[in-house]
Amino acid sequence: MSAGTWLIGIVVVPVMATVLSYLFTSVVRRVATVVSGLVTLALSVMVALRVADGGRVAAGALFGADSLSGIFLLVTAFLYAATAIFSIGYLGGSRGMGGLIAQRGQIAQAVWQSTGAGKDGDNEEASRQWAVSDRFDKRFFTGINIFCGAMSAALVLSNLSLVWVAIEITTVVSALLVSLEDTDGASEAAWKYVIIASMGLGLSLLGVLVLYIAAVPVLGSSHALQIGYLVHVHGLARGTVELAFVLAVIGFGTKMGLAPMHTWLPDAHSEAPTPVSALLSGSLLAVSFYVILRFEQVTILNVGNVFPHDVLFVFGVLSLLIAALFLLVQRDVKRMFAYSSVEHMGIIAIGAGFGVPIALAGVMLHVVSHGLAKGTAFFGAGSFKIKFGTKDISRISGGLTALPWSGSLLLAAVAALSALPPFALFRSEFMIVDGGLSAGQDLGVVVLLVLVTVAFAGLSWNTVKIILSPDRLEVAGRQEPSVWMVVPMLAGVVGLILLGLHPPADFMRLVDSAARELTGRVAR
Amino acid sequence: MAAATVLSSPSTFTSVVTLFGVGVLVTEFLMLRAHLLRSQVRLYMVQSFLVAAVALVTGIEQGNSGLYVVSVLSFIIKVVIVPMVILRLMSVDSADLSQSAIMKLPSMLYIALVTAACGFFIGVSFRTASVIGRGTAASGNAVSVDIAIVLVAFILIVLRRDVISQVAGFFSLENGVTLFSVSVARNMPFITEVATFFDLLVAAVVFGLLMRLHHMKTRTLSTHVLDRLKG
């Protein structure tokens, strides 16, 4: 099987899982989604290994990937697989624990059993409730597969306009997923999300078209939006490329959660079903950043590096500032992690703004590490929500007692998000700071360190309250909702430690190669 | 044949495209001042019809059959399907279909006019900075008009607080981008155009579903009630 076939597989496998999830029963949905997640992860690892030393794999003119794609594929595919596994426990677990998602199913089950409706089939209400529960299940798994498939497609499609289409599909599908719990909050969050993100994507489409206009005279209309050509082309009109880059940063930056376009993010991430929150935060933001980096590559080649770096730095500082301040006053666990995502997108943008190789390598490592840590953190928040029946920080205590595994792993994830050693985010932020200093951006480094410290205070204070404080609420039992929910968290934490202490050589070659993609052909 | 001959004159073609673009911009202003949301949707139909017409005219001028398809798809999706989805939703609630503006009409129009002027200036600087004379088109004032359309669409979304206006604003924005794509960024790969239309169709359905959900939850089409999530 050729490397090009792997790329096609990365798109086709989730589509197959989507069809199976829509057509068949709940067991098939779960099996198909987990298998699809694992196969996509395996294919992504194979692609990443192939492009680790540079170069590009392609399947015709439609699909292609280089080391930059490889980095983002790894994190997206890992979270796809982890979310698929977590969701089995989350949906089943919530039913078993009297929790959140399948409350209707639980009620229906009780009615079903107490009335014997399953035998004589005469209880219409119970039957209807089961149907609603099954509909939820079907929509959830179908949506997850489309969502992950669209994100993966955005990373392996060769044409920038088709990448935009894939990103827009992630918006509409994830907006439906956000609304899935059918609460007032979910409805409000979904509406705000779809309107704000769509407006942003409207601007980003304009950015794609402007770039097309700039590229046509040099590349011709058939190659003007092909990423493989665009990232090597010189001689595009300066003003046009600058306009395209700004439109892309504002447009895709809206999806990435850059301030001040981030306002949809805390609402959507906090109101979505937890597995969806993990995907939104760990994968979707990163995929949007990937597209911005593609525009940055073209801009650096044709305009020089000062303009794009300055733009990213300004948005990064603004995002970090707003997130750090809001982290201090959060009262909702998932909302707190949502603002943490804005914080980390700010760090990533600042790192990209520093622009030197060590900082860009740090950014690449940060993208992967943030995906692992944020996925784990949201999974942990999901376990807490089921166990305590709330997301309100003031109503949660003794997490380590009530949830020994999830509590410990959530604590580790928060330590990682706070960039404490030995986790990978310590290494990545260290590289970004090192890059800032070597680029002579001393003031930028000071701003970064001060704001990261403020964010650390907010994040750690709230986490300590829910995990390490005494169990004053006396929640029943030391029992995890489901082992399915612990396994992906464990994988995330192991990955964070591995990448922090001794990252595999192949992975670091991929990181270096991706950083070179962004710096190796800098126009002076 | 006669139409093709007339449009083959660059000045005539540019004038027609610019005229239709100005028509799209005018419909946007009318949407902003429309009291009834149904009127907004009908104005969107007119606007989309103009966009489809620009695609057709450009197709004739260039002899580009792909643009004929774009024109037909624009007509089917934007003039027929999207308005139908929105109007069907509106049939479930006719109680609060007006007065969603957050400020008085003259103030809104002033803001929109200033925004449109900004769009024109951006368009002018864009043209001088880049594409004129590079062989890729840029139909005179069309660039300025298209950017103004996109920016005024933002005003429509921000200053009207009801789900219909916001959706109409988004689709209006999309019309501006489509107009830009057809009249300025010519010869886009056909697959891109088709994919974008497919995407628009999906977006229309999802907007419809979410509008319905919003209405079920709040019993209104107003977005004033969306103030639960803060901080």
Side-chain angles (χ1 to χ4, degrees), chain A residues 456-471:
Chain A
F456 166 72
L459 194 62
S460 56
W461 172 248
N462 284 327
T463 309
V464 164
K465 274 200 291 193
I466 65 173
I467 295 181
L468 297 179
S469 61
D471 184 11

Side-chain angles (χ1 to χ4, degrees), chain B residues 32-45:
Chain B
L32 198 61
R33 71 179 294 279
H35 286 296
L36 292 176
L37 301 183
R38 274 175 210 286
S39 307
Q40 277 193 340
V41 179
R42 291 187 185 115
L43 283 165
Y44 171 71
M45 292 169 73

Side-chain angles (χ1 to χ4, degrees), chain A residues 20-218:
Chain A
L20 291 172
S21 297
Y22 188 76
L23 292 179
F24 295 100
T25 61
S26 64
V27 174
V28 177
R29 279 174 212 142
R30 283 156 174 74
V31 172
T33 306
V34 170
V35 169
S36 173
L38 292 172
V39 171
T40 305
L41 177 59
L43 292 171
S44 299
V45 170
M46 288 155 66
V47 170
L49 287 172
R50 178 62 66 92
V51 296
D53 290 319
R56 184 175 176 84
V57 295
L62 203 54
F63 299 104
D66 57 13
S67 51
L68 196 61
S69 323
I71 289 283
F72 290 84
L73 270 176
L74 284 181
V75 66
T76 301
F78 172 81
L79 278 170
Y80 183 14
T83 302
I85 294 168
F86 180 85
S87 297
I88 293 175
Y90 189 69
L91 296 187
S94 57
R95 184 176 292 148
M97 299 292 293
L100 310 164
I101 304 267
Q103 277 179 340
R104 283 172 298 198
Q106 186 191 8
I107 293 165
Q109 189 175 28
V111 173
W112 189 273
Q113 287 169 346
S114 64
T115 60
K119 294 172 186 170
D120 52 25
D122 59 357
N123 190 319
E124 289 182 14
E125 175 59 17
S127 176
R128 192 186 67 79
Q129 291 279 9
W130 265 122
V132 169
S133 177
D134 187 60
R135 200 158 62 225
F136 177 95
D137 199 70
K138 179 196 280 189
R139 288 176 179 174
F140 177 86
F141 280 103
T142 305
I144 288 281
N145 285 308
I146 300 176
F147 185 30
C148 292
M151 285 193 291
S152 304
L155 298 171
V156 297
L157 280 166
S158 291
N159 186 297
L160 210 48
S161 59
L162 296 182
V163 171
W164 179 87
V165 170
I167 300 266
E168 174 66 7
I169 289 174
T170 66
T171 303
V172 291
V173 173
S174 57
L176 289 177
L177 285 168
V178 168
S179 72
L180 209 54
E181 288 196 353
D182 205 21
T183 62
D184 291 347
S187 165
E188 179 177 339
W191 184 256
K192 289 178 178 173
Y193 170 42
V194 79
I195 283 292
I196 295 172
S198 296
M199 286 166 67
L201 286 174
L203 281 185
S204 61
L205 180 58
L206 199 58
V208 171
L209 294 174
V210 170
L211 185 60
Y212 171 81
I213 290 170
V216 162
V218 181

Side-chain angles (χ1 to χ4, degrees), chain A residues 124 239 266 280 397:
Chain A
E124 289 182 14
L280 285 171
S397 64

Side-chain angles (χ1 to χ4, degrees), chain A residues 62 159 161-162 164-166 168-169 171-173 175-176 179 182-192 194-195 198-203 205-206 208-210 212-214 216-218 221-222 225 235-240 243 266-268 270-271 326 330 335 339, chain B residues 122 126 129-131 134-136 146-147 150-151 153-154 157-158 162-164 166-167 170 173-174 176-178 180-181 184-189 191-192 195-196 198-200 202-203 206-211 213-218 223 225-231:
Chain A
L62 203 54
N159 186 297
S161 59
L162 296 182
W164 179 87
V165 170
E168 174 66 7
I169 289 174
T171 303
V172 291
V173 173
L176 289 177
S179 72
D182 205 21
T183 62
D184 291 347
S187 165
E188 179 177 339
W191 184 256
K192 289 178 178 173
V194 79
I195 283 292
S198 296
M199 286 166 67
L201 286 174
L203 281 185
L205 180 58
L206 199 58
V208 171
L209 294 174
V210 170
Y212 171 81
I213 290 170
V216 162
V218 181
S221 60
S222 57
L225 288 177
L236 307 190
R238 182 187 182 94
T240 321
L243 180 62
D267 296 347
S270 62
E271 297 300 320
F326 274 88
Q330 286 313 303
R335 211 170 173 82
Y339 274 107
Chain B
I122 293 171
F126 171 66
S130 55
V131 290
R134 302 289 298 271
T136 53
D146 296 345
I147 293 177
V150 170
L151 293 182
F154 274 90
I157 294 171
V158 172
D162 63 89
V163 290
I164 302 292
Q166 292 184 345
V167 168
F170 167 71
L173 185 155
E174 196 278 333
V177 176
T178 304
F180 188 87
S181 154
V184 184
R186 301 186 199 179
N187 296 320
M188 285 282 284
I191 187 172
T192 299
T196 309
F198 167 74
D199 187 60
L200 181 69
V202 173
V206 170
F207 273 120
L209 289 171
L210 290 177
M211 280 197 292
L213 179 64
H214 170 77
H215 181 260
M216 280 168 54
K217 291 289 173 194
T218 63
T223 56
V225 293
L226 298 182
D227 58 357
R228 196 173 156 275
L229 302 171
K230 288 178 179 168

